[in-house]
Amino acid sequence: MANTERKLVHSKSGLRMISIDDSESPFMLTEPQWVPDVECPYCMQCQTKFVLMKRRHHCRRCGRCYCSTCCEKKVSLHRMCFIDPVRQCDSCCEVSRKECEFFDKHIKVLLAGGNFVLVDADVINNNQMSVTCKLSTDHRLLTFEGGPDMEPFQLSSIESVQILTTGTDADGNPLPSGIALKYRNKDEDLKIIKMSIINGPNRRQAMLWVAAMQKAYKMIYETRTMR
Ligand SMILES: [Zn+2]
Ligand SMILES: [Zn+2]
């Protein structure tokens, strides 16, 4: 069982609530280095010169240096675990606001799980088995309940997410029928799991789960390519 105990820590950007366990959730970002004051005589957005009455402000997300006008908004920054909204530049505000939607809505869907039928999985012998796929409470693992004995795997080990489709709706848009995840198992072997949405009362939840998974992967992927 992963340690989900949490503790409060102070950083120069604010109070943070972090997991006591070192290995953090794949959604987490580390705090940036702040651009040193000596390296920025001008606002990095509007080029206003900093003088005694025109002070520098650092964006808590990117660490760049701005005047008060260009870095005035405070927005929640879930990915750095700040308890309160923190000061961010305009472009970071935009990204953080979109992420708020993920942490307010979509992550709950992933935690609640979706019902699927496993199709052509090379991880099992059976051709078709129904499972509930869930994100673990520490956000690190995808787990499988109810079906064949399947090893959970790390969310951060996913290498691609593909939405499976069958047919089109009335407007000609492809209809999602499931999701295929390519990932590395504990032995670093590349695996593919395909899960089909089951028609029935849980269909909507599974559709939402697939959409939320796509958003989660996009967030992790973008962070990976930024480094
Ligand atoms: Zn400015
Ligand atoms: Zn920024």
Side-chain angles (χ1 to χ4, degrees), residues 61 73-78 88-104:
R61 185 174 177 121
K73 295 184 203 87
K74 290 189 174 179
V75 173
S76 295
L77 184 38
H78 293 269
Q88 293 174 63
C89 70
D90 290 344
S91 55
C92 288
C93 276
E94 202 177 309
V95 180
S96 294
R97 282 206 182 102
K98 279 189 195 143
E99 290 174 357
C100 284
E101 205 196 339
F102 178 81
F103 286 98
D104 290 342

Side-chain angles (χ1 to χ4, degrees), residues 16 42-43 104 112 131 163 203 209:
R16 301 168 68 216
Y42 306 96
C43 169
D104 290 342
V131 289
I163 305 299
R203 181 180 157 79
W209 196 94

Side-chain angles (χ1 to χ4, degrees), residues 21 28 83 104 107 190 226:
D21 210 325
M28 289 307 123
I83 292 184
D104 290 342
I107 204 152
L190 200 58
M226 239 161 48

Side-chain angles (χ1 to χ4, degrees), residues 42-48 50 54 65-71:
Y42 306 96
C43 169
M44 294 172 92
Q45 178 69 38
C46 71
Q47 316 300 331
T48 297
F50 294 121
K54 194 84 187 165
C65 195
Y66 299 97
C67 73
S68 55
T69 316
C70 295
C71 196

Side-chain angles (χ1 to χ4, degrees), residues 9-105:
V9 290
H10 286 276
S11 90
K12 61 183 169 185
S13 299
L15 203 55
R16 301 168 68 216
M17 180 74 92
I18 59 162
S19 169
I20 285 174
D21 210 325
D22 313 309
S23 48
E24 288 177 353
S25 134
F27 300 120
M28 289 307 123
L29 295 173
T30 47
E31 288 185 74
Q33 295 274 357
W34 283 10
V35 173
D37 288 0
V38 288
E39 285 176 23
C40 52
Y42 306 96
C43 169
M44 294 172 92
Q45 178 69 38
C46 71
Q47 316 300 331
T48 297
K49 189 168 169 47
F50 294 121
V51 288
L52 200 58
M53 298 303 288
K54 194 84 187 165
R55 292 185 49 227
R56 291 173 179 79
H57 296 277
H58 284 91
C59 169
R60 270 48 175 175
R61 185 174 177 121
C62 66
R64 287 155 63 96
C65 195
Y66 299 97
C67 73
S68 55
T69 316
C70 295
C71 196
E72 63 177 349
K73 295 184 203 87
K74 290 189 174 179
V75 173
S76 295
L77 184 38
H78 293 269
R79 299 186 68 190
M80 290 182 195
C81 304
F82 289 114
I83 292 184
D84 298 312
V86 290
R87 192 184 285 277
Q88 293 174 63
C89 70
D90 290 344
S91 55
C92 288
C93 276
E94 202 177 309
V95 180
S96 294
R97 282 206 182 102
K98 279 189 195 143
E99 290 174 357
C100 284
E101 205 196 339
F102 178 81
F103 286 98
D104 290 342
K105 269 199 341 224

Side-chain angles (χ1 to χ4, degrees), residues 127-138:
N127 243 0
Q128 286 207 342
M129 287 291 258
S130 72
V131 289
T132 302
C133 186
K134 269 185 193 176
L135 182 65
S136 62
T137 49
D138 60 8

